[in-house]
Amino acid sequence: ILPPKEKTQDEVDEDALEQQILLQQESVVKTYESMTLDQLDENEDDFSEEDEAAIEIYRQKRLAEWKATQIKNCFGEVVEISGQDYIKEVNKAGEGIWVVLHLYKQGIPLCTLINQHLSEMARKFPQTKFLKSISTTCIPNYPDHNLPTIFVYHEGEMKAQYIGPLVFGGMNLKVEELEWRLSESGAVKTDLEENPKKQIEDKLMSSIRSTLPTRKDSDSEED
């Protein structure tokens, strides 16, 4: 077995140069990865041509992340609109935007309750646009017996509609139940694992069963 061939001075110098170049590149990468988009623009002349392609890729990545953050956090409250705002706020809401529109009227208790629930949900899901509008302001002659009404849109296309008090279950409606209903349409990404209304129904049925006489009790009464 022959011992490894010793490197010449030229080969040693070449390896050292390559190592130095790698260290410089790593230094540049660390430098621009810690920069904001504005800082990248300001220091663009300080980077070598070899790094321009990598910097441009990184710049596009940071820009995409910034846009996603802006979309995610640009809402957070229920906004009142009129019929004139409808096209702009709903049909032209933007790419990837979910819109929840509540048609309501003052003096209808269930409408007031749903507005309260939507305000809470708007804070929880700031990436979804929550809107409300007095029904006849948005849709002329819209019948009161259809209130409350919720329309769900995605990129301007209607995905779901919930019309009338029976759909919402009346004044016993919980915010978790409304959240679950909207999550089924895709408007929000809930962390609820199952329909909370089903839990209430299961408890109610269990309670009813416990109060009903068993077959054995019925036989004893007959004797």
Side-chain angles (χ1 to χ4, degrees), residues 15-211:
D15 289 345
L17 181 60
E18 288 179 357
Q19 186 67 25
Q20 185 178 0
I21 292 173
L22 285 174
L23 289 173
Q24 289 176 344
Q25 288 177 340
E26 288 178 3
S27 177
V28 170
V29 168
K30 289 180 181 178
T31 299
Y32 73 69
E33 282 189 348
S34 64
M35 288 183 175
T36 64
L37 292 174
D38 290 338
Q39 289 172 332
L40 281 175
D41 291 334
E42 291 174 3
N43 295 275
E44 189 172 7
D45 295 337
D46 296 336
F47 300 119
S48 63
E49 293 182 1
E50 289 79 5
D51 296 306
E52 286 184 359
I55 292 171
E56 181 59 28
I57 292 173
Y58 182 72
R59 180 186 281 110
Q60 294 301 323
K61 179 183 176 183
R62 289 294 298 271
L63 187 60
E65 291 173 351
W66 178 82
K67 286 181 178 179
T69 302
Q70 292 301 304
I71 291 174
K72 184 177 180 180
N73 298 316
C74 64
F75 306 119
E77 61 181 354
V78 182
V79 177
E80 183 92 29
I81 66 168
S82 65
Q84 296 176 342
D85 305 319
Y86 187 88
I87 293 177
K88 174 187 174 185
E89 298 293 340
V90 177
N91 297 103
K92 296 182 178 180
E95 183 179 350
I97 301 298
W98 284 91
V99 178
V100 175
L101 172 63
H102 177 212
L103 300 184
Y104 75 101
K105 258 192 178 178
Q106 299 286 353
I108 299 179
L110 185 54
C111 288
T112 302
L113 178 66
I114 287 178
N115 276 334
Q116 293 172 356
H117 288 344
L118 292 180
S119 293
E120 185 176 336
M121 292 177 62
R123 292 189 294 271
K124 184 176 180 179
F125 304 104
Q127 69 275 22
T128 299
K129 179 187 281 190
F130 287 89
L131 305 172
K132 64 180 179 180
S133 177
I134 295 176
S135 56
T136 50
T137 301
C138 195
I139 304 176
N141 302 316
Y142 194 76
D144 288 355
H145 64 78
N146 283 348
L147 301 178
T149 292
I150 288 181
F151 295 136
V152 177
Y153 299 85
H154 183 243
E155 298 182 343
E157 181 181 345
M158 184 179 288
K159 295 297 183 180
Q161 53 184 347
Y162 308 99
I163 300 174
L166 293 179
V167 173
F168 298 100
M171 291 299 294
N172 291 322
L173 176 69
K174 306 297 183 186
V175 65
E176 293 83 7
E177 296 168 15
L178 184 57
E179 178 181 326
W180 181 266
R181 182 68 62 88
L182 293 180
S183 73
E184 290 180 319
S185 70
V188 299
K189 296 185 182 299
T190 182
D191 53 5
L192 299 172
E193 295 183 356
E194 63 177 5
N195 187 351
K197 193 171 183 64
K198 181 179 181 300
Q199 297 175 357
I200 296 173
E201 291 173 350
D202 290 345
K203 289 180 181 178
L204 180 61
M205 291 303 297
S206 176
S207 176
I208 292 172
R209 291 192 195 98
S210 65
T211 58

